[in-house]
Amino acid sequence: MSTVRNEAARNVPLLINGEFVQSTTSDWIDVTNPVTQEVIGRAPVTTDAEMARAVSAAEETFVTWRHTPVQERMRCLMRYQALLKEHHDELAEILASETGKTMADAKGDVWRGIEVVEHGCSMPTLMMGETTENVARGIDTHSIVHPIGVCAGITPFNFPAMIPLWMFPLAVACGNTFVLKPSEQDPLTPTRLAELWQEAGFPAGTLQVVHGRKPQVDYLLEDPAIKAVSFVGSVPVATHVYRTGTHNLKRVQCMGGAKNHMVVMPDANKEQVVNHLVGASCGAAGQRCMAISVAVLVGEETRGWMDDIRKAVASIRPGPPSDPDAAYGPLISPAAKERVEQLIGTAEPEGAKLLLDGRGHTVDGYPDGNWVGPTLIDDVTPEMTVYKEEIFGPALLVMHVDSLEEAIALVNTNPYGNGTSIFTRSGAAARKYQHETEVGQVGVNIPIPVPAPFFSFTGGKNSFFGDLHAYGKQAIRFYTETRTVISRWPEEDLPSGPNMTISMR
Ligand code: NAD
């Protein structure tokens, strides 16, 4: 599919040391509106010299920023939080133009990021250390939480506001400086986030924004000045980032892809289950790492729910952000659409039932959009391609098992471990499920259990590499070091002679 040229499309700037500058590169990446293929911007493939300037600006700024009192850092973040709220609609419009998300969903993307910034405004408390008096006679110990240096963030296309906001506001409020490499597919939203950052009064050099692809990511993974790397994206890239970053002795957290199951017990409320399955699988065109992509129906009785599920999934349709009745938007690119359609195409030949086929979907007035219609695939089994691959499209797979134990075994055998949910009226079943499933986020009668920002966004197995997770208390630990100070201020002279033991006296 060819793109539509647009003379008004602007070249996306880099942010280096407080200045928005045009890259000198000759290599530019088109940013397209996925509803029309219109080119709405061009992201630069940042040159090595510009990468070096960005990292050194962050390094030099760290020298002073780390000494800025935590309350001053917090006040900048409070102004940022206010500006994000003031510009909420505008940010959502930019976001919708480059992702095609519905306006309601685009606003939600921005809002979940604002919530993380709000939580960061309690940084003086979040960064408190600990004290114990008299750990030995006359000896006290306290711990100090301090920043680690220049941090980097590499983010995916599917939440261009929320995911960058998981990272740089917290890292910088901890006293670090930051280099962000957002997705090249939707860099306009992060650029606007960065403009508001400057407007909020953060000093030049606290945040740099560079653009590009693998070489720019690899630059950050190799540069010794970068002390910590936060990554969110697909499993193959997460694996590469984790291996390379840790090989270079950096602290790394990588949130990867997913295949999220919703287990439906026969005692669940059918209407709620049906409604939640539709929204959680096809919302955002299925391009959410927490999308429910597999419904696991337990027991013979729930087979009888398939007709209602089919009707509910068939009742929704995609459309552009300007259509308030559209349930979701297009896929991010023609390549993503082609990939999803190719995966749907493997279902029937491998023995599944294609109850709703979203391939070849059209939307009146938007012939060039990357549309995929709502798709429902029944009788899926673990060896099928549609089950093994993360589809990342508006497709719900259905599997049938006989018992809760079988459902738990299925979820635990799956290599991903991002999110899952159970729908049931039984407290015992819910307790067993949350206790035994090896998945980061568990919802009980909640389809997409994304934690509020004072908890952390976790994940396990191939959906997460590292130990400290995103936002919440764990992010503060990720972006800081702890120093312990052991002190003695004796009122009288200490006994003379060396202490030849390790004990304190
Ligand atoms: P992606 O892995 O293609 O890209 C993520 C980032 O890595 C982008 O900034 C991209 O430029 C960069 N990149 C791409 N290829 C690279 C390479 N070979 N080497 C180094 N860097 C590279 O992911 P995407 O398609 O933008 O996002 C969708 C994926 O992200 C899905 O798999 C989804 O499940 C996952 N995701 C996970 C979470 C989570 O919290 N677990 C959240 C959102 C998205």
Side-chain angles (χ1 to χ4, degrees):
M1 186 167 312
S2 61
T3 53
V4 182
R5 305 310 306 177
N6 173 3
E7 292 316 311
R10 69 174 183 144
N11 288 349
V12 179
L14 306 169
L15 173 60
I16 301 177
N17 205 21
E19 307 235 325
F20 287 95
V21 290
Q22 284 297 317
S23 171
T24 58
T25 186
S26 53
D27 193 359
W28 293 83
I29 304 163
D30 283 345
V31 181
T32 51
N33 178 335
V35 170
T36 59
Q37 307 309 323
E38 184 189 6
V39 177
I40 54 174
R42 286 174 213 94
V45 175
T46 311
T47 66
D48 278 0
E50 290 158 348
M51 292 297 297
R53 274 178 43 219
V55 175
S56 16
E59 223 179 342
E60 283 159 27
T61 307
F62 178 64
V63 175
T64 47
W65 179 244
R66 64 175 306 186
H67 300 300
T68 306
V70 65
Q71 291 207 80
E72 285 181 32
R73 304 199 304 257
M74 175 196 72
R75 284 184 201 118
C76 290
L77 204 60
M78 289 171 89
R79 283 195 294 274
Y80 189 49
Q81 179 259 148
L83 279 171
L84 290 172
K85 282 185 181 160
E86 202 182 303
H87 293 268
H88 191 170
D89 287 351
E90 178 209 341
L91 282 161
E93 271 163 30
I94 296 169
L95 195 151
S97 75
E98 58 182 347
T99 61
K101 284 191 186 189
T102 65
M103 280 314 295
D105 204 28
K107 285 192 78 167
D109 186 331
V110 178
W111 179 251
R112 293 302 304 248
I114 292 175
E115 288 185 321
V116 174
V117 176
E118 276 179 346
H119 182 235
C121 292
S122 38
M123 195 52 76
T125 318
L126 291 169
M127 281 188 81
M128 276 168 127
E130 294 172 316
T131 304
T132 303
E133 198 181 39
N134 268 343
V135 294
R137 281 187 176 69
I139 297 181
D140 305 329
T141 299
H142 66 275
S143 62
I144 302 172
V145 176
H146 65 109
I148 51 177
V150 183
C151 304
I154 298 137
T155 55
F157 79 82
N158 66 329
F159 284 101
M162 178 183 82
I163 293 180
L165 290 173
W166 283 0
M167 300 177 182
F168 67 84
L170 295 180
V172 176
C174 283
N176 302 292
T177 54
F178 206 89
V179 182
L180 174 70
K181 204 303 282 170
S183 171
E184 68 279 18
Q185 299 192 82
D186 44 19
L188 303 180
T189 308
T191 301
R192 189 68 189 121
L193 293 177
E195 286 168 358
L196 296 173
W197 180 262
Q198 294 303 121
E199 210 178 310
F202 278 98
T206 48
L207 172 67
Q208 338 304 310
V209 184
V210 295
H211 300 281
R213 300 186 173 107
K214 178 174 166 53
Q216 289 64 42
V217 172
D218 287 346
Y219 187 103
L220 297 171
L221 297 175
E222 299 290 342
D223 193 320
I226 307 279
K227 301 298 176 209
V229 177
S230 300
F231 170 88
V232 180
S234 60
V235 172
V237 183
T239 312
H240 164 70
V241 169
Y242 193 72
R243 287 208 175 107
T244 314
T246 52
H247 175 78
N248 289 323
L249 305 179
K250 299 180 196 309
R251 187 179 292 186
V252 186
Q253 55 173 192
C254 289
M255 281 56 89
K259 195 84 181 174
N260 306 313
H261 302 70
M262 179 163 134
V263 172
V264 179
M265 298 300 287
D267 66 354
N269 177 314
K270 182 171 78 170
E271 197 187 335
Q272 274 179 24
V273 165
V274 170
N275 286 333
H276 283 311
L277 276 177
V278 175
S281 62
C282 295
Q287 298 174 116
R288 289 179 181 144
C289 66
M290 288 290 281
I292 289 295
S293 40
V294 188
V296 184
L297 305 191
V298 180
E300 202 48 44
E301 196 183 325
T302 52
R303 277 203 175 261
W305 299 12
M306 281 312 297
D307 201 36
D308 286 351
I309 294 174
R310 196 192 58 74
K311 278 190 198 130
V313 176
S315 73
I316 59 164
R317 57 172 179 78
S322 56
D323 177 355
D325 297 327
Y328 62 90
L331 294 196
I332 190 71
S333 64
K337 171 184 155 92
E338 194 183 318
R339 186 184 155 277
V340 168
E341 291 196 331
Q342 183 266 326
L343 281 167
I344 295 171
T346 65
E348 266 183 332
E350 293 184 17
K353 282 195 202 111
L354 190 50
L355 298 185
L356 292 169
D357 183 356
R359 290 175 295 175
H361 193 92
T362 53
V363 172
D364 283 351
Y366 301 93
D368 296 326
N370 309 320
W371 310 114
V372 175
T375 298
L376 182 64
I377 307 174
D378 195 10
D379 283 334
V380 171
T381 53
E383 67 289 349
M384 291 179 185
T385 309
V386 280
Y387 183 72
K388 287 196 285 195
E389 297 283 325
E390 180 185 30
I391 299 180
F392 228 52
L396 177 64
L397 314 185
V398 182
M399 301 173 90
H400 301 271
V401 297
D402 292 329
S403 65
L404 178 59
E405 288 72 16
E406 217 184 305
I408 293 171
L410 178 75
V411 171
N412 286 349
T413 311
N414 189 281
Y416 297 100
N418 210 36
T420 187
S421 62
I422 182 167
F423 274 69
T424 180
R425 285 190 172 98
S426 157
R431 169 69 174 65
K432 182 178 172 69
Y433 194 72
Q434 74 183 49
H435 186 63
E436 294 184 14
T437 40
E438 295 155 10
V439 175
Q441 268 94 212
V442 183
V444 176
N445 298 316
I446 299 282
I448 304 191
V450 175
F454 22 91
F455 290 91
S456 292
F457 186 94
T458 64
K461 295 192 272 183
N462 285 350
S463 298
F464 181 77
F465 304 118
D467 34 32
L468 293 169
H469 294 94
Y471 66 78
K473 287 183 195 150
Q474 296 201 29
I476 308 305
R477 287 182 57 207
F478 183 77
Y479 294 124
T480 57
E481 301 272 23
T482 305
R483 184 178 296 158
T484 43
V485 179
I486 304 173
S487 56
R488 166 156 59 197
W489 292 99
E491 289 176 31
E492 294 162 7
D493 287 347
L494 296 171
S496 59
N499 174 6
M500 304 304 291
T501 73
I502 198 170
S503 62
M504 286 189 223
R505 69 170 171 83

